[in-house]
């Protein structure tokens, strides 16, 4: 019986450890996929802006840049000296000046942790930055939800191990 309890406890510990390692890997996977999706949106939108600008050189680009709402992805076409562009950080600014698109995680001007993709857009008059932002909390929410479920399952597993242990020890301890 003691061997059974030891084995049962080791299995439970292994299951809990695997669950937490899986959560850690899924967190990185979700963040990487979100950054990749933002980069693809940025690339598509840059292509659309270039085609529209070439066909309509004097037209406003504002109809093509519409924020999607609170908590969602926001598209912004900004000047290089805009504080939101400067918030990207030195590495991102160097990439932008070289004409390379990229992704970043930073604190926005509103002091919100965001992930973003960016790319340079040259409309013939000035260079602007297309910024596609999404709050980090929105990106990580699926992982946080899974984390809550895993913690609940671990608590249930610990309670189950405790109940089984109590049941077996209660039967093996002899009272006078």
């Amino acid at each position: 019986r003691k061997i059974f309890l030891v084995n049962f406890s080791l299995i439970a510990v292994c299951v809990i450890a695997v669950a937490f390692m899986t959560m850690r890997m899924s967190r990185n996977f979700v963040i990487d996929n979100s950054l990749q999706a933002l980069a693809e949106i940025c690339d598509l939108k840059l292509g659309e802006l270039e085609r529209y600008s070439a066909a309509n050189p004097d037209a406003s680009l504002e109809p093509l840049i519409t924020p999607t709402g609170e908590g969602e992805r926001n598209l912004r076409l900004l000047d290089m000296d805009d504080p939101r562009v400067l918030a990207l950080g030195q590495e991102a600014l160097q990439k932008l000046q070289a004409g390379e698109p990229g992704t970043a995680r930073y604190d926005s001007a509103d002091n919100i942790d965001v992930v973003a993709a960016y790319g340079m857009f040259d409309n013939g008059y000035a260079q602007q930055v297309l910024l596609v932002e999404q709050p980090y909390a929105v990106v990580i929410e699926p992982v946080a939800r899974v984390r809550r479920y895993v913690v609940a399952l671990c608590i249930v597993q610990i309670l189950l191990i405790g109940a089984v242990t109590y049941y077996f020890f209660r039967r093996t301890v002899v009272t006078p």
Side-chain angles (χ1 to χ4, degrees):
R1 289 182 183 168
K2 289 180 182 180
I3 292 174
F4 171 76
L5 290 175
V6 170
N7 287 338
F8 192 70
S9 298
L10 287 175
I11 290 170
V13 168
C14 289
V15 167
I16 292 170
V18 167
F20 281 105
M21 286 189 304
T22 303
M23 281 186 348
R24 181 87 173 149
M25 290 186 316
S26 65
R27 177 181 168 269
N28 293 337
F29 177 76
V30 166
I31 293 169
D32 290 345
N33 279 351
S34 294
L35 286 172
Q36 183 178 358
L38 290 175
E40 289 173 6
I41 290 170
C42 188
D43 287 343
L44 289 171
K45 196 53 114 168
L46 281 171
E48 184 180 337
L49 286 170
E50 288 170 2
R51 288 189 300 278
Y52 184 81
S53 180
N56 307 304
D58 296 329
S60 170
L61 299 173
E62 289 304 315
L64 298 176
I65 308 296
T66 54
T68 56
E70 189 70 29
E72 297 294 321
R73 295 180 180 125
N74 288 314
L75 297 159
R76 294 188 171 103
L77 192 57
L78 307 167
D79 293 327
M80 277 295 288
D81 59 351
D82 191 290
R84 291 173 283 198
V85 173
L86 299 175
L88 287 170
Q90 197 63 28
E91 182 182 334
L93 292 174
Q94 289 172 353
K95 278 183 154 183
L96 279 169
Q97 289 171 346
E100 298 175 21
T103 58
R105 179 178 171 196
Y106 61 96
D107 287 333
S108 69
D110 304 330
N111 208 19
I112 297 172
D113 191 12
V114 295
V115 292
Y118 53 85
M120 187 64 77
F121 173 69
D122 188 358
N123 62 5
Y125 305 109
Q127 289 188 333
Q128 293 180 306
V129 176
L130 177 65
L131 190 63
V132 183
E133 294 179 316
Q134 187 171 22
Y136 181 75
V138 172
V139 170
I140 206 70
E141 174 55 31
V143 176
R145 190 177 22 214
V146 169
R147 181 182 300 144
R148 289 189 293 270
Y149 292 140
V150 167
V151 168
L153 287 173
C154 289
I155 290 171
V156 168
Q157 188 175 15
I158 289 169
L159 291 174
L160 181 64
I161 290 169
V164 169
T165 303
Y166 174 75
Y167 174 76
F168 281 116
F169 278 128
R170 185 178 55 92
R171 295 186 71 209
T172 58
V173 174
V174 179
T175 57

